[in-house]
């Protein structure tokens, strides 16, 4: 099994720094199922190639059976595992290039963030779905894909094609992204990863897929195949991806100007999600129980992100807000819904991430937006931890699932900026209730890799009442999502109102 990674960046030997593997050496790494060897067939200033060769030991594969080792149940039979790039190669790649995949490089800290001209080659890749599927998976990620079906036997063309593909990917990508694409998509193409799916695979998938999976047109197929078609796991992963702002453009298409926003969380997904479509978008143990009681099928709980948005919109209307700014607006879901509601005459959206804003502009179809609507909107880049005049002049500010992305040491700066300087009459803050995490099947750790913390209900109310007291606000608390008798709601919302006396 062979993977080669070539770059033509100058100096090309930077690849050695990035991979943490010296170009002058041949290094071996023991795996439970064989040996991975890293070497450089070429290492010049203009072109450098690293090769990862995986030698699978069929005996070791059998011996490691049952110890969480990949593919063990296939291993006792004659099979192609030792020869074809597959899920085993993904496992070895994750181990051998662990630091590179995490995007760390202490020797040259600027390198991991820089897109490099790359060529990745996999001479023999088991590919259920053929070259076409390889293109569907890699092209949306910006790769130029050369995928050729390999004949069963070159001497006997009449035997037809094998299920193997020779794959070459070319493009400019950060090395960590490229490795994460392979880590997730090799087992997806292989589709033989049925026997070793541990619950933490969902976390692994979400971590490796950060920044690209939730926007991928084939995310349903990727998620299901990666998780070995275990539907409960796939559902959890898709729900969590949805929570990260994963919505199709159709859902964001603003409703007719005169109508309130209408959203059916399942509508956009239906066509592409195959089997997942008839299952609830968010599954918690509580939901599953409730659904069984209610006689299943007709009950389809709305995705939590949709319920959150609806709760925020309803609260803003109730408070009589006419101008609203969404702080940390992400990909613009709430901004779109606000614009679709005529009562919100002035709408602001701000985020620190230019990528999020670019996606927001595309999803909101800013270039084709009618002038009347466009005139109501201000979308801009900014950081919540720096005083900014552009945040003033709104009736209400929303911080929806944002505070938990801010380092605790910077929270006080955010408080000053929002409650001290911008000082709108109302501030709505939503954040996960960490107590509820036990209700998510297979969730280990926090809900998102970028969360710096998640609060219990007591921690949230302590923080919110302290902030309110300091800045002359009153605060009330509201649950969002189905409240669990023991652990509370999945999302907690604080509704701050400026005290007129202060
Ligand atoms: N409010 C959106 C997005 C939540 S994700 C929603 O509910 O769907 C958190 C967002 O906060 C990200 O888009 C991130 O870029 C943004 N963010 C994180 N720290 C920020 C900061 N200091 N200033 C502005 N935005 C920030």
């Amino acid at each position: 099994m062979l993977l080669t990674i070539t770059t033509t960046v100058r100096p090309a030997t930077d690849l050695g720094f990035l991979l943490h593997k010296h170009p002058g050496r041949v290094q071996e790494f023991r795996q439970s199922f064989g040996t991975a060897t890293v070497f450089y067939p070429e290492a010049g200033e203009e072109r450098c190639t690293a090769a990862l060769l995986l030698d699978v030991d069929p005996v070791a594969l059998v011996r490691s059976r049952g110890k969480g080792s990949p593919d063990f149940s296939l291993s006792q039979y004659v099979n192609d595992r030792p020869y074809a790039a597959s899920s085993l190669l993904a496992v070895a790649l994750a181990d051998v290039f662990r630091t590179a995949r995490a995007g760390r490089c202490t020797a040259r800290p600027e390198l991991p963030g820089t897109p490099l001209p790359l060529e990745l080659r996999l001479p023999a890749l088991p590919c259920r779905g053929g070259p076409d599927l390889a293109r569907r998976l890699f092209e949306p990620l910006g790769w130029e894909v050369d995928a050729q079906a390999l004949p069963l036997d070159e001497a006997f063309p009449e035997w037809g094609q094998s299920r193997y593909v020779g794959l070459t990917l070319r493009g400019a990508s950060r090395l960590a992204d490229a490795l994460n694409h392979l880590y997730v998509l090799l087992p997806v193409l292989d589709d033989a990863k049925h026997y070793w799916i541990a619950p933490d695979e969902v976390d692994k998938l979400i971590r490796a897929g950060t920044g690209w999976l939730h926007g991928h047109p084939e995310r349903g197929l990727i998620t299901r195949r990666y998780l070995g078609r275990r539907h409960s796991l796939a559902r959890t992963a898709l729900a969590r991806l949805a929570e990260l702002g994963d919505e199709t453009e159709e859902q964001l298409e603003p409703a007719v100007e005169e109508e309130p926003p209408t959203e059916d969380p399942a509508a956009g997904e239906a066509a592409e999600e195959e089997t997942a479509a008839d299952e609830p978008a968010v599954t918690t143990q509580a939901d599953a129980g409730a659904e069984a009681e209610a006689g299943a099928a007709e009950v389809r709980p709305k995705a939590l992100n949709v319920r959150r948005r609806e709760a925020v919109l309803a609260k803003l209307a109730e408070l009589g807000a006419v101008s609203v700014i969404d702080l940390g607006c992400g990909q613009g879901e709430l901004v779109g819904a606000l614009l679709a509601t005529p009562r919100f005459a002035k709408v602001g959206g701000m985020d620190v991430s230019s990528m999020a804003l670019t996606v927001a502009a595309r999803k909101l179809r800013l270039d084709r937006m009618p002038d009347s609507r466009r005139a109501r909107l201000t979308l801009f880049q900014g950081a919540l931890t720096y005083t900014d005049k552009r945040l003033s002049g709104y009736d209400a500010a929303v911080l929806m699932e944002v505070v938990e992305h801010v380092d605790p040491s910077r929270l006080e700066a955010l408080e000053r900026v929002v409650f001290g300087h911008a000082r709108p009459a109302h501030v709505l803050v939503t954040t996960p209730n960490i107590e509820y995490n036990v209700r998510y099947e297979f969730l280990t750790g926090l809900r998102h890799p970028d969360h710096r913390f998640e609060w219990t209900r007591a921690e949230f109310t302590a923080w919110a009442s302290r902030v309110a007291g300091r800045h002359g606000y009153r605060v009330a608390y509201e649950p969002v999502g189905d409240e669990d008798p023991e652990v509370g709601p999945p999302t907690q919302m604080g509704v701050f109102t400026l005290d007129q006396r202060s």
Side-chain angles (χ1 to χ4, degrees):
M1 258 186 249
L2 181 67
L3 159 72
T4 62
I5 305 171
T6 302
T7 185
T8 49
V9 74
R10 297 283 195 98
T13 43
D14 272 356
L15 187 61
F17 284 110
L18 270 170
L19 291 172
H20 293 250
K21 303 286 174 278
H22 195 284
R25 275 190 234 136
V26 174
Q27 285 177 270
E28 288 196 347
F29 303 85
R30 292 290 311 162
Q31 306 290 311
S32 64
F33 44 84
T35 306
T37 308
V38 177
F39 61 99
Y40 289 73
E42 57 181 338
E45 289 286 294
E46 290 173 21
R47 199 178 148 89
C48 181
T49 298
L52 171 66
L53 180 70
L54 181 61
D55 199 8
V56 172
D57 172 358
V59 178
L61 199 56
V62 175
R63 289 219 180 107
S64 62
R65 178 187 172 130
K67 291 186 199 147
S69 148
D71 270 351
F72 62 81
S73 62
L74 296 173
S75 61
Q76 299 172 61
Y77 309 100
V78 176
N79 67 62
D80 65 353
R81 303 293 88 184
Y83 314 109
S86 72
S87 48
L88 293 178
L89 187 59
V91 173
L93 174 149
D95 179 50
V96 173
F97 298 137
R98 186 186 307 266
T99 317
R101 203 163 69 86
R104 287 197 303 272
C105 182
T106 23
R108 305 287 299 277
E110 77 291 354
L111 274 182
T114 314
L116 308 177
L118 290 176
E119 183 177 298
L120 312 176
R121 295 189 58 131
L122 292 136
L125 183 69
C127 190
R128 220 176 64 87
D132 180 50
L133 183 64
R135 283 189 280 270
R136 271 163 50 206
L137 294 187
F138 285 102
E139 277 176 356
L141 299 170
W143 293 105
E144 183 194 315
V145 180
D146 178 359
Q148 306 290 338
L150 302 175
L152 269 175
D153 190 321
E154 280 167 14
F156 300 95
E158 65 276 16
W159 288 3
Q161 307 293 11
S162 68
R163 67 183 197 96
Y164 301 96
V165 161
L167 181 69
T168 305
L169 306 172
R170 293 186 190 87
S173 167
R174 294 184 304 182
L175 186 66
D177 292 340
L179 293 174
N180 279 317
H181 295 164
L182 292 178
Y183 174 72
V184 173
L185 297 179
L186 291 186
V188 166
L189 287 169
D190 186 357
D191 202 22
K193 196 185 174 191
H194 297 294
Y195 303 101
W196 59 293
I197 308 297
D200 70 344
E201 288 294 328
V202 173
D203 284 346
K204 286 187 193 163
L205 174 65
I206 288 181
R207 215 172 298 132
T210 297
W212 61 273
L213 182 54
H214 73 265
H216 197 296
E218 298 288 355
R219 68 186 172 283
L221 177 144
I222 293 169
T223 306
R224 279 191 303 281
R225 278 201 183 187
Y226 181 91
L227 295 170
R229 300 175 185 278
R230 291 261 306 265
H231 289 300
S232 54
L233 288 175
R235 232 167 28 221
T236 306
L238 285 166
R240 283 177 58 194
L241 286 168
E243 277 203 34
L244 306 180
D246 178 27
E247 293 186 67
T248 57
E249 308 223 341
E250 296 87 304
Q251 282 169 264
L252 288 167
E253 178 74 343
V256 181
E257 190 81 46
E258 297 317 318
E259 282 175 8
T262 52
E263 289 129 333
D264 174 1
E269 303 282 347
E272 63 179 297
E273 292 302 347
E274 299 172 22
T275 50
D278 51 22
E279 292 166 335
V282 172
T283 312
T284 64
Q285 288 157 11
D287 285 340
E291 217 187 326
E293 275 168 36
E298 308 90 73
V299 189
R300 181 185 292 171
K302 284 185 179 172
L304 185 57
N305 59 323
V306 175
R307 295 186 65 170
R308 214 159 32 219
R309 193 164 60 234
E310 288 176 350
V312 166
L313 286 168
K315 186 48 75 180
L316 289 169
E318 184 192 316
L319 294 169
V322 169
S323 55
V324 179
I325 182 159
D326 186 15
L327 301 173
C329 63
Q331 303 188 355
E333 281 87 13
L334 180 66
V335 167
L338 289 165
L339 284 175
T341 314
R343 65 161 294 133
F344 300 114
K346 179 176 151 193
V347 176
M350 185 265 238
D351 203 283
V352 75
S353 155
S354 56
M355 198 154 110
L357 290 169
T358 306
V359 176
R362 183 170 56 79
K363 288 188 163 187
L364 291 165
R365 309 194 176 189
L366 215 53
D367 54 338
R368 276 178 280 159
M369 194 180 273
D371 288 346
S372 59
R373 187 177 287 217
R374 182 74 190 80
R376 290 160 56 214
L377 173 67
T378 316
L379 203 57
F380 60 97
Q381 190 176 16
L384 271 166
T385 42
Y386 295 92
T387 311
D388 191 333
K389 285 205 194 77
R390 294 172 297 178
L391 309 187
S392 307
Y394 293 88
D395 299 335
V398 177
L399 290 130
M400 189 163 79
E401 308 299 285
V402 173
V403 289
E404 65 276 9
H405 289 266
V406 176
D407 252 7
S409 63
R410 301 294 290 148
L411 257 189
E412 246 178 70
L414 176 145
E415 292 159 30
R416 272 198 306 278
V417 168
V418 176
F419 296 90
H421 287 98
R423 260 183 119 58
H426 306 282
V427 182
L428 306 190
V429 176
T430 78
T431 192
N433 164 20
I434 193 175
E435 295 168 75
Y436 193 88
N437 287 6
V438 297
R439 295 288 181 262
Y440 287 109
E441 278 183 288
F442 313 118
L443 175 64
T444 57
L446 300 182
R447 291 187 204 175
H448 186 281
D450 190 49
H451 285 180
R452 309 303 153 94
F453 58 85
E454 284 169 3
W455 278 327
T456 61
R457 284 167 290 173
E459 285 166 336
F460 178 55
T461 49
W463 172 80
S465 61
R466 188 169 49 73
V467 171
R470 246 189 223 171
H471 296 283
Y473 281 78
R474 285 176 281 120
V475 58
Y477 305 98
E478 299 200 7
V480 179
D482 292 333
E483 211 164 354
D484 179 283
E486 271 169 56
V487 296
T491 298
Q492 35 190 353
M493 175 158 76
V495 181
F496 297 77
T497 300
L498 191 60
D499 212 324
Q500 292 310 324
R501 289 160 298 177
S502 66

